[in-house]
């Protein structure tokens, strides 16, 4: 697949261990970015430092257009987070704050859910913060603005309960913001969900139309 100039193209990529091993992976990742020619990339297991280095490498070695970079949260470079990188000539992206009510939901720990009982050994629902970004196309003939939420959800079997909770919280957050004129109505949630849709972990989102 190659992005074309008439669409806004988004890629989601878990570059395993990129936040620690970005110097070894930098040129191989950059070649994929150049060859696929997408407008927006969401990286999982990344860091602000690694993504800024990638953007600089693309601009200096491959002479690409300028890239913008935003991190999902303020975190040390040795901690894996999600990041967003975009082609500044085709897209504008800005970070937006979740409303205070939603922010409280995002910080919830599964042990705060009364119905868990003996399963209260589980921890935070969102180990990696699900930041909110507003994406606007700058392409001729493409009139598009939407909300983008990069996610990296808990892995493996013991993460199923937390993935279910994450889906419920995100579905409720989108429902809440649909009433707010400060937010556009279209949403994309993507990244590494660590489970297929058939698992049932994301039923709260799919039943809400996502």
């Amino acid at each position: 697949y190659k992005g074309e100039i008439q669409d806004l193209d988004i890629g989601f990529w878990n570059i395993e261990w990129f936040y620690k091993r970005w110097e070894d992976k930098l040129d191989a990742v950059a070649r994929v970015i150049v060859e696929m020619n997408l407008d927006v990339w969401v990286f999982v297991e990344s860091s602000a430092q690694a993504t800024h280095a990638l953007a600089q490498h693309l601009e200096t070695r491959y002479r690409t257009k300028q890239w913008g970079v935003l991190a999902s949260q303020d975190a040390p470079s040795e901690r894996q987070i999600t990041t967003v990188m975009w082609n500044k000539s085709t897209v504008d992206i800005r970070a937006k704050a979740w409303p205070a009510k939603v922010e409280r939901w995002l910080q919830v720990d599964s042990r705060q859910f009364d119905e868990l009982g003996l399963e209260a050994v589980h921890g935070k629902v969102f180990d990696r913060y699900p930041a909110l970004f507003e994406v606007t196309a700058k392409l001729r003939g493409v009139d598009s603005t939407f909300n983008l939420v990069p996610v990296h959800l808990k892995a493996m079997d013991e993460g199923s309960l937390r993935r279910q909770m994450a889906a419920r919280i995100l579905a409720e957050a989108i429902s809440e913001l649909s009433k707010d004129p400060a937010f556009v109505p279209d949403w994309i949630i993507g990244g590494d969900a660590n489970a297929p849709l058939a698992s049932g972990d994301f039923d709260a989102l799919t039943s809400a139309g996502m």
Side-chain angles (χ1 to χ4, degrees):
Y1 178 81
K2 232 180 185 180
E4 303 295 343
I5 60 172
Q6 70 268 24
D7 340 351
L8 193 159
D9 305 290
I10 307 176
F12 299 90
W13 190 0
N14 184 338
I15 313 176
E16 293 185 351
W17 297 96
F18 193 53
Y19 69 108
K20 280 189 175 180
R21 301 176 186 166
W22 60 266
E23 291 174 296
D24 298 330
K25 295 172 177 272
L26 197 62
D27 197 60
V29 172
R31 286 199 304 272
V32 173
I33 302 298
V34 171
E35 289 168 7
M36 293 192 71
N37 192 36
L38 308 188
D39 302 291
V40 180
W41 285 93
V42 171
F43 299 124
V44 175
E45 292 198 28
S46 186
S47 67
Q49 179 188 24
T51 310
H52 277 294
L54 174 60
Q56 184 176 24
H57 189 75
L58 285 161
E59 293 168 18
T60 55
R61 176 158 184 175
Y62 291 95
R63 307 295 181 190
T64 66
K65 302 284 188 180
Q66 283 193 323
W67 293 88
V69 172
L70 283 171
S72 60
Q73 60 198 96
D74 185 15
S77 59
E78 62 271 14
R79 180 181 173 189
Q80 59 171 265
I81 59 172
T82 61
T83 58
V84 178
M85 187 179 79
W86 69 95
N87 182 340
K88 286 186 171 183
S89 68
T90 61
V91 177
D92 276 331
I93 296 186
R94 65 189 183 105
K96 294 197 75 170
W98 293 101
K101 180 179 181 179
V102 174
E103 185 63 36
R104 289 195 299 273
W105 296 344
L106 298 178
Q107 300 299 333
V108 74
D109 190 293
S110 66
R111 287 164 288 195
Q112 295 171 256
F113 280 63
D114 293 337
E115 68 269 21
L116 293 183
L118 295 176
E119 294 185 270
V121 295
H122 297 264
K124 286 192 73 173
V125 172
F126 293 101
D127 283 332
R128 291 95 179 181
Y129 184 73
L132 174 60
F133 301 99
E134 186 177 86
V135 182
T136 303
K138 295 166 68 176
L139 299 164
R140 183 180 302 171
V142 179
D143 181 17
S144 179
T145 300
F146 57 89
N147 302 296
L148 174 65
V149 183
V151 293
H152 185 192
L153 301 181
K154 185 66 179 174
M156 299 184 287
D157 291 343
E158 76 272 13
S160 177
L161 185 60
R162 280 189 263 180
R163 289 192 294 270
Q164 292 174 47
M165 292 178 180
R168 283 176 56 193
I169 290 169
L170 289 171
E172 289 295 331
I174 292 169
S175 176
E176 185 75 16
L177 268 57
S178 69
K179 309 165 192 169
D180 189 335
F183 293 87
V184 295
D186 297 318
W187 292 79
I188 293 179
I189 299 173
D192 194 346
N194 275 313
L197 287 177
S199 67
D201 288 354
F202 310 108
D203 286 355
L205 279 169
T206 56
S207 63
M210 297 296 292

